[in-house]
Amino acid sequence: MKKIVVKKRHSIRRSQAQDLLARLTEQIGPSANLFHAEMIEVLETTANVSLFMVNKKPLLMATEAWVFPTLKGAVQCPFPERRVVVDAGAIPYVVNGADIMRPGIVSVTDDVKANAPVQIVDERHGKPLAIGISLFDAPDLRASTAGKMVKKFHHVGDEIWSMEI
């Protein structure tokens, strides 16, 4: 596992923060308000994703295509959107960084879109286990019976989770 090194850390302008939260609202809707803060900092790192500190915690990440909460953000500020629920048998594989296969999926929220980030949560407690990129829209996920459905992007213990600030 490659370690992420923080090169620089600085506050973003209020207008940049509004743009960031607007992009987040496109992904998760009104729950984006959970991530509003007076000061948001950007971390310049060796990672291929931008990380944003909200109240001094790495709660958001962004690529050119999307903005989404990190796993720590999803745990600290739970939101009901963009969920793929997995059964208990899939949990050990998910937390170790496996992609999500169709047999382990119990349910999918209607707002899941292809090539967009989703949170993978456990069936019993609804706790976020990982962040992934859905390979299909919600109806196609439900209709499938086998195969890879969500590509793992970020999980407990990976370089984003264990980054030291």
Side-chain angles (χ1 to χ4, degrees), residues 7-117:
K7 296 177 182 177
K8 285 184 183 177
R9 175 179 170 175
H10 57 85
S11 299
I12 60 174
R13 293 187 185 99
R14 192 169 298 228
S15 62
Q16 291 172 311
Q18 288 173 343
D19 291 343
L20 180 73
L21 291 173
R23 288 180 62 202
L24 181 61
T25 302
E26 290 173 16
Q27 296 295 324
I28 66 170
S31 295
N33 291 333
L34 296 169
F35 298 93
H36 179 74
E38 287 299 314
M39 184 174 79
I40 297 178
E41 298 173 285
V42 63
L43 297 176
E44 293 181 19
T45 67
T46 56
N48 58 352
V49 64
S50 299
L51 297 169
F52 294 91
M53 305 282 285
V54 179
N55 295 326
K56 300 185 180 183
K57 295 177 184 151
L59 301 185
L60 296 174
M61 59 185 170
T63 66
E64 290 182 19
W66 49 261
V67 175
F68 205 73
T70 61
L71 190 51
K72 287 183 180 180
V75 169
Q76 184 171 331
C77 304
F79 57 98
E81 295 86 5
R82 295 282 176 94
R83 286 182 171 231
V84 173
V85 181
V86 296
D87 63 18
I91 293 172
Y93 300 101
V94 173
V95 297
N96 285 322
D99 292 333
I100 311 307
M101 306 302 278
R102 180 58 183 109
I105 296 175
V106 175
S107 67
V108 177
T109 57
D110 293 332
D111 57 355
V112 171
K113 296 179 183 135
N115 301 314

Side-chain angles (χ1 to χ4, degrees), residues 135-156:
L135 301 176
F136 302 95
D137 291 330
D140 297 332
L141 274 170
R142 290 187 194 108
S144 298
T145 57
K148 186 188 302 184
M149 300 289 118
V150 179
K151 185 169 177 21
K152 185 268 315 168
F153 185 81
H154 166 40
H155 67 281
V156 174

